[in-house]
Each structure stands twice: as C-alpha cells, then as structure tokens.
Amino acid sequence: MSYCLNPRCPKPENADNIKFCQTCGSKLILKERYRAIKPIGQGGFGITFLAVDEDKPSKPRCVIKQFYPQAQGTSTLQKAVELFTQEAMRLDELGKHPQIPELLAYFTQDDRQFLVQEFIDGQNLAQESAQNGAFNETQIRQLLNDLLSVLQFCHQRQVIHRDIKPENIIRRSPQPPLERGARGDLVLVDFGAAKIASNAALNQTGTSIGSPEYVAPEQIRGKAIFASDIYSLGATCIRLLTERSPFDSYDIHNDTWIWRQYLETPINDQLGRVLDKMLESIPVRRYKTVDEVLKDLNQQPHVAAKSAKPVIQPLPTSPPAVVIKPRSQIDFELEEMKSQFLGGSKPQKNIQPPPQPTSQPSSKSEIDEELEELKKKFLGNNNP
C-alpha cells in the first residue's frame, strides 16, 4: 500500500504500484525513492510514517517524519520549524551511535519538510510493559546501564534530549549478528525536542518541551540542563517498576516520592537510593552527570575486612604428676631391721641406698624418732 502525505487528502490509501495519489494527485514517492506505507505516530510538530526505500533492491523499511505543526501562530510556527531543523542536525551528528536512529535524508518537497531516518524494528517500553507487566530490578539495572551510555554520548556532544520516556525507548527485535553488528538492545528515538546545551542557551529561559509526567521541574520553566535528562530517565524507571504514572507516585502534600509502596517486588536499597537521587526535584541534589549515576549504580558492596584475632587453643589438661620421693637412708635401714627381726623377704638388691648427705640435720627428724622406738622395742634399752 502507498499512503498519501498530503495532510488534507480525504482518502490517503493507495495501491503500492502507482506514483500519484488517485484522490488528490499528490506525489506518493518522496525524492524519487521513499514511499510511505502507513502512519505510525503523531506529535506536536509532525506525523511519522512507516516507509520503504525503493532505491535499494531489498527495499528496506525506514521512517518518514513529516513536519506538520498542530499549533498556529507565527512565533509558534517559527519555533516549530527551528526545532524540526534542529532534529535533523542532531540526528546527522548523533545517528552514528548504534543506539540512536541514523539520519538518511532531510529535504523539502511541495513546500513541506521531511526527515527520513533508520527504522527500528521492535516494541517501545510502554508497549512492552503493557504486554509483560512491571519491570523487575534486573531489567531496570539493564535499562539504566544501556541508556546511560547513550545519554553520555549525547551530553558529551552538548545535546540534551528533553523527552525521555518509555514511548521513546525501543527494544530492538533480535536480528542476525552479521546484519546489526554489536549494537545495543535499547534505542533512544525522537530527538525532535533535543537542545544544544551551549553556555548561552543554558543561561536563557527556553521553551518548555517534553511529556509533563517525565519532565524535571527546571525543564518545565524552560531551563533544561543535562541533569534534566537524568531526572526523566529516573521517572521512566519508576513508571516501568510500578506501572503507574510518575504523577501518581509522588506525594505533593509531603513533597516526597512514594513509588516504593507500589512495587510488586521490593528492590535492593542501593538501587532505590540511586533512583531517588535521579529524581531529586532540586538540581543541586540530583546527579549532575551520567558518570556519577553509573558509579553509584555499579558500585560493589564494600565489606570492611575485620582483623582476625588469633585463636588461642587451650593447653591440654593432664593429670597431676605423681611425685615419687627418693627413698631415704633411714627407710633403707628400717627395711633391713624389719627383715632381721620380723622375717620376710630381704630388701631388693637392686634398690640402692641414696647417697649420704654431706651434712647432718641439726635436729632429729620424725623418722629418726621412729627408728629409736623400734630399736628399744626389739633390742632393748642398751643405755648404761
């Protein structure tokens, strides 16, 4: 099928093998190669069509974006033209990134402006969430790591996207590796609201652009900064986690985010703190750069190494040693006397009497007294 790009055509559908609209007579092929098939989206400044490039043998699909502002008024129309031209310039510069659609053509035909860009085959995250339900922690971490690198690329080239939301993030359908190469899963689209962040532009109040649910407070006032994109990405994450509008996850009476109470499954506190800081309403409290977000997001849990105290093993307890006192000379003599007067076995020969002390004690010991008593009992008293 061919689709007529004349906004006033009452019957835009046509056969795919003709070059002019059968209803209004407008050209159906742009620049002699791009044929629109059907409309796939409409915004404030234009209509987007799925198309094919008939100049190539494979007739690959592409996207035609037609400049068609809805608002009226000279100043509004002039601003719309400026933004549409800026989008073409931004895509020409940024489209070499594998996660940003490539600009294929930008031209004017029949007094209307057209932009042709790479077609990204896949669902946007709003569609994916509606189909599969709320995102979990792992999916949000993957989303952040995937999209933050794209934002980093844009911000390094002084471009603020200004319209990050689930509808503008497309998950590319799986394709043969040789066809796509090492390209990211998620693609950031619709740079129609993108702005060059020059020093002069950042100090001036510009146009308030973006989807209200995802727009940072300073951007609403026309003062978008790099951190505004970080805020919008954070709002996108809580939308996907809770399946609720970010408006419904904010308590305006207490000026605080309450998105955690709508989670189906709790998430890690570290990720929660990262999202909270991305969503700070005051820019100085928010992450200022993508690098800061990535650093906190991928920070490994730090476990302080505790110095191990040496384990002192208790010494094995042993029974008290039996102290065997050496036999004294007196003991030896008593054994001999018992053998002589009472009978019995003689004292063992292998028991040697202990050596005599070199000096005698000054007083008789108890043994000496016992010996004297034995002598008196068995030998009688020999005292004169």
Side-chain angles (χ1 to χ4, degrees):
M1 186 182 78
S2 297
Y3 199 90
C4 180
L5 297 177
N6 178 6
R8 297 178 180 85
C9 181
K11 190 179 178 181
E13 294 88 356
N14 290 270
D16 60 2
N17 58 351
I18 57 176
K19 295 186 177 181
F20 296 93
C21 177
Q22 294 180 329
T23 302
C24 69
S26 298
K27 279 187 176 182
L28 294 176
I29 301 179
L30 298 179
K31 229 182 176 185
E32 305 301 325
R33 63 182 297 181
Y34 302 112
R35 182 190 295 271
I37 297 174
K38 63 178 181 178
I40 55 176
Q42 182 169 343
F45 300 134
I47 307 173
T48 305
F49 302 88
L50 179 63
V52 294
D53 183 357
E54 294 195 339
D55 193 49
K56 295 184 177 180
S58 62
K59 294 187 178 182
R61 288 184 289 181
C62 56
V63 171
I64 295 174
K65 193 167 185 179
Q66 179 185 22
F67 173 61
Y68 184 67
Q70 304 299 309
Q72 302 298 319
T74 305
S75 60
T76 304
L77 183 62
Q78 183 179 356
K79 186 64 181 179
V81 173
E82 178 186 339
L83 288 171
F84 196 81
T85 304
Q86 281 184 2
E87 180 177 11
M89 294 172 61
R90 300 292 78 77
L91 283 177
D92 192 28
E93 181 180 357
L94 302 174
K96 302 304 178 184
H97 190 283
Q99 291 169 264
I100 297 175
E102 182 179 1
L103 178 68
L104 303 177
Y106 176 73
F107 54 89
T108 299
Q109 182 170 310
D110 298 330
D111 296 325
R112 293 191 294 270
Q113 291 176 295
F114 296 94
L115 180 154
V116 183
Q117 65 186 43
E118 173 189 6
F119 171 71
I120 306 300
D121 187 14
Q123 285 185 321
N124 66 49
L125 296 191
Q127 295 168 329
E128 185 176 308
S129 176
Q131 179 177 317
N132 301 326
F135 278 40
N136 58 34
E137 178 177 337
T138 300
Q139 290 173 307
I140 291 298
R141 286 185 179 275
Q142 291 172 344
L143 163 65
L144 285 172
N145 277 306
D146 223 4
L147 262 294
L148 284 169
S149 62
V150 182
L151 279 187
Q152 191 175 47
F153 178 84
C154 296
H155 292 175
Q156 287 172 348
R157 286 152 184 80
Q158 305 303 303
V159 175
I160 307 171
H161 187 279
R162 295 201 297 179
D163 198 16
I164 296 174
K165 57 184 178 181
E167 290 80 1
N168 285 340
I169 302 170
I170 297 177
R171 189 180 302 279
R172 195 192 307 273
S173 297
Q175 295 183 357
L178 294 178
E179 182 179 346
R180 299 306 307 172
R183 296 173 71 98
D185 227 9
L186 299 177
V187 181
L188 183 61
V189 303
D190 198 352
F191 281 74
K195 175 184 179 181
I196 289 291
S198 63
N199 290 332
L202 290 176
N203 291 326
Q204 294 176 356
T205 300
T207 306
S208 177
I209 290 178
S211 303
E213 295 172 283
Y214 304 94
V215 171
E218 70 278 0
Q219 185 173 325
I220 293 175
R221 304 183 189 99
K223 290 277 191 179
I225 56 177
F226 294 126
S228 304
D229 280 347
I230 293 174
Y231 179 99
S232 297
L233 184 57
T236 295
C237 288
I238 65 167
R239 161 66 180 81
L240 297 171
L241 280 168
T242 64
E243 296 187 275
R244 297 167 60 90
S245 163
F247 281 158
D248 296 332
S249 295
Y250 187 78
D251 183 355
I252 59 174
H253 300 292
N254 295 301
D255 188 25
T256 185
W257 287 98
I258 54 173
W259 55 269
R260 280 178 176 81
Q261 70 186 47
Y262 300 113
L263 296 177
E264 291 184 3
T265 305
I267 65 170
N268 181 275
D269 285 342
Q270 181 230 11
L271 177 58
R273 289 192 297 270
V274 169
L275 292 175
D276 283 339
K277 192 169 181 180
M278 292 175 72
L279 290 165
E280 284 283 359
S281 57
I282 301 176
V284 293
R285 296 178 184 171
R286 197 184 311 149
Y287 290 112
K288 297 176 180 61
T289 66
V290 169
D291 286 339
E292 293 177 1
V293 188
L294 286 169
K295 180 180 177 182
D296 281 0
L297 179 66
N298 298 310
Q299 184 178 18
Q300 297 298 323
H302 178 70
V303 179
K306 296 182 179 180
S307 56
K309 294 182 180 180
V311 179
I312 301 175
Q313 298 290 344
L315 293 174
T317 56
S318 57
V322 179
V323 180
I324 302 176
K325 295 182 180 180
R327 301 180 70 184
S328 66
Q329 178 67 27
I330 299 300
D331 294 327
F332 186 76
E333 291 177 358
L334 283 173
E335 288 293 333
E336 281 189 333
M337 291 179 67
K338 287 179 181 180
S339 299
Q340 292 176 11
F341 297 104
L342 300 178
S345 60
K346 295 182 179 181
Q348 297 178 7
K349 295 181 179 180
N350 61 340
I351 301 176
Q352 298 297 327
Q356 293 292 336
T358 56
S359 62
Q360 295 296 330
S362 58
S363 61
K364 289 184 177 182
S365 67
E366 185 178 352
I367 300 299
D368 293 332
E369 292 176 358
E370 292 180 1
L371 182 59
E372 288 294 332
E373 288 181 0
L374 285 170
K375 286 179 181 181
K376 289 177 182 180
K377 184 176 181 179
F378 295 102
L379 300 178
N381 190 358
N382 294 329
N383 289 334

